[in-house]
Amino acid sequence: MRLSVPPEHVEIQLGERSYPIWIGSGLLGDPSNYLALPAAATALIVTNTTVAPLYAATLRAALAGRFREVHVLELPDGEAHKDWQTLNLIFDALLSHGSDRKTVLFALGGGVVGDMTGFAAASYMRGVPFVQVPTTLLAQVDSSVGGKTAINHPLGKNMIGAFYQPQLVLCDLATLATLPPRELSAGLAEIIKYGPIYDMDFLAWIESHIDALVAREPVALAHAVKRSCEIKAAVVGQDERETGLRAILNFGHTFGHAIESGLGYGEWLHGEAVGCGMVMAAHLSERLGGIDAAFVQRLTALIRRAGLPVVAPALGAERYLELMRIDKKSEAGEIRFVVLDKPGSAIMRGAPDAMVREVLAQCCAA
Ligand code: NAD
Ligand code: GLY
């Protein structure tokens, strides 16, 4: 399949840390996209064993005229490898190549590669420049934008990390052609998220284009990626370090992170857990009076049409509560949920454990 749409861009406005997000087909192989990067002798492309055979040679060739040395590091693939041991492979590569503090890191892959490369860039020599080249739908619409970087801890998801912005994000839509269908659906979860929390017109647009998105229709995908990046840029531009507003981007994530860590990282995809977590958060929002049952059903139907699970795994209510207390939004042991206070608007608040147990009873498999 060929995806061909003219490139467009979204600017993320963060003062001296501002950067462009370019969206289009064939971007990663075009050397002109890298001309504005800071001058440096060496580059390290961090990717994984799945993405490297598909795209690393193209990126490397595009960078060859810009850097004297371009190295490629292939990490093991998967959420289960988003850990200290794998992160250390990036530092091993940087040090063994004699990389200096101007070395530019390129994150070529999905959110796992992007989050780990970003964290390595934030930490190596106290900070080196990095570029996000996201190759999953999820990474193009969410994880590559906004500067959250992290690794997982066995006791909690994304618990160790830093805010560190890239120099540039290149969303090459052509890379989505090789994405497995399950991964495409996972990306749709984060696209759907932007509707109920921020933009009801976008939610209606997704509902009327969900079949086109699942079928990877190029114009529909390009619009979905661009609108998602615009919303994310608007939110992050107001609250880079999540002191308030940015938390709305975690709609569905408190339940979702519990599913991911409770089942073991990689069992459910992050986007699958977020999709199901949004169903659970919608039920909680209804119980708290923010939305009605019809809106819960509307959102659930869309998530199902995107090919995502809408019934949560039966981990047990106490285990869910235990896992959710480890969430970064928790304060003094109180779980704080992102809920809808009306369609198109979200807030963060606590909820009585008894109410959360009712939601779990309603949403989990028997
Ligand atoms: P992922 O990085 O594991 O990629 C999914 C799978 O697709 C992997 O097997 C990968 O090798 C493969 N892949 C990547 N690009 C491909 C392509 N073009 N063709 C074929 N296969 C390809 O998962 P993801 O869904 O991209 O990212 C999930 C991660 O992102 C989670 O760790 C999550 O916590 C994180 N995340 C971070 C943020 C943030 O703001 N930093 C936001 C959302 C999610
Ligand atoms: N994915 C949530 C955030 O970037 O804040």
Side-chain angles (χ1 to χ4, degrees):
M1 177 187 47
R2 286 185 65 77
L3 296 173
S4 178
V5 283
E8 295 194 82
H9 97 286
V10 174
E11 195 72 20
I12 183 150
Q13 303 283 2
L14 291 168
E16 64 183 11
R17 293 183 305 289
S18 299
Y19 53 93
I21 304 158
W22 279 98
I23 300 158
S25 290
L27 301 184
L28 77 84
D30 181 348
S32 69
N33 286 321
Y34 308 103
L35 294 177
L37 291 175
T42 58
L44 176 67
I45 300 170
V46 181
T47 183
N48 69 25
T49 50
T50 305
V51 178
L54 297 168
Y55 304 114
T58 307
L59 179 57
R60 187 178 200 164
L63 298 176
R66 182 73 176 68
F67 299 92
R68 201 177 60 229
E69 287 176 33
V70 181
H71 302 283
V72 178
L73 173 64
E74 290 183 30
L75 302 177
D77 187 5
E79 185 76 35
H81 296 287
K82 191 177 163 183
D83 58 11
W84 273 119
Q85 288 76 13
T86 311
L87 178 72
N88 224 13
L89 298 177
I90 306 178
F91 299 129
D92 290 347
L94 286 164
L95 287 162
S96 66
H97 295 310
S99 307
D100 61 25
R101 59 178 13 153
K102 290 187 170 174
T103 297
V104 183
L105 298 194
F106 289 80
L108 175 68
V112 169
V113 164
D115 279 12
M116 281 198 294
T117 307
F119 190 29
S123 330
Y124 184 69
M125 295 195 176
R126 303 197 182 95
V128 293
F130 89 110
V131 173
Q132 289 274 16
V133 188
T135 61
T136 63
L137 184 59
L138 186 141
Q140 295 187 358
V141 300
D142 191 355
S143 64
S144 65
V145 174
K148 278 189 181 176
T149 74
I151 55 169
N152 299 329
H153 186 279
L155 294 180
K157 170 107 178 131
N158 290 336
M159 279 292 154
I160 300 151
F163 286 99
Y164 193 68
Q165 301 294 342
Q167 304 280 320
L168 164 71
V169 180
L170 278 185
C171 298
D172 189 335
L173 299 170
T175 62
L176 302 180
T178 53
L179 206 56
R182 198 177 156 199
E183 300 291 351
L184 189 90
S185 291
L188 291 174
E190 300 278 17
I191 293 174
I192 292 169
K193 172 186 82 178
Y194 293 113
I197 62 165
Y198 196 88
D199 184 347
M200 287 296 287
D201 289 344
F202 188 43
L203 182 67
W205 181 90
I206 300 166
E207 287 173 320
S208 59
H209 290 82
I210 189 69
D211 295 336
L213 291 168
V214 170
R216 305 181 202 211
E217 199 275 301
V219 177
L221 275 179
H223 177 73
V225 173
K226 179 161 183 253
R227 185 66 195 132
S228 299
C229 288
E230 283 171 351
I231 295 171
K232 182 140 191 193
V235 172
V236 172
Q238 293 171 68
D239 180 22
E240 182 183 8
R241 292 190 163 238
E242 200 170 307
T243 55
L245 177 70
R246 185 168 178 167
I248 68 171
L249 298 174
N250 288 315
F251 181 57
H253 286 59
T254 309
F255 290 106
H257 285 171
I259 293 173
E260 282 188 270
S261 52
L263 288 177
Y265 298 120
E267 189 65 32
W268 276 33
L269 303 180
H270 175 71
E272 292 172 335
V274 167
C276 191
M278 287 194 288
V279 173
M280 300 164 90
H283 280 284
L284 184 60
S285 307
E286 182 198 350
R287 284 173 191 274
L288 290 166
I291 54 172
D292 60 18
F295 191 71
V296 178
Q297 290 318 314
R298 179 179 168 188
L299 195 57
T300 306
L302 180 60
I303 291 166
R304 192 184 286 112
R305 284 179 70 201
L308 293 159
V310 294
V311 178
L315 303 176
E318 297 317 309
R319 179 75 177 129
Y320 267 103
L321 287 165
E322 179 189 23
L323 289 164
M324 291 194 291
R325 283 201 180 88
I326 303 171
D327 190 79
K328 288 191 289 307
K329 294 182 293 304
S330 295
E331 282 181 12
E334 188 203 10
I335 308 167
R336 288 156 64 74
F337 296 90
V338 178
V339 291
L340 304 175
D341 55 335
K342 61 181 182 190
S345 169
I347 54 167
M348 188 166 63
R349 57 164 293 177
D353 280 3
M355 188 184 283
V356 178
R357 283 194 187 89
E358 285 167 13
V359 169
L360 291 165
Q362 191 174 8
C363 296
C364 292

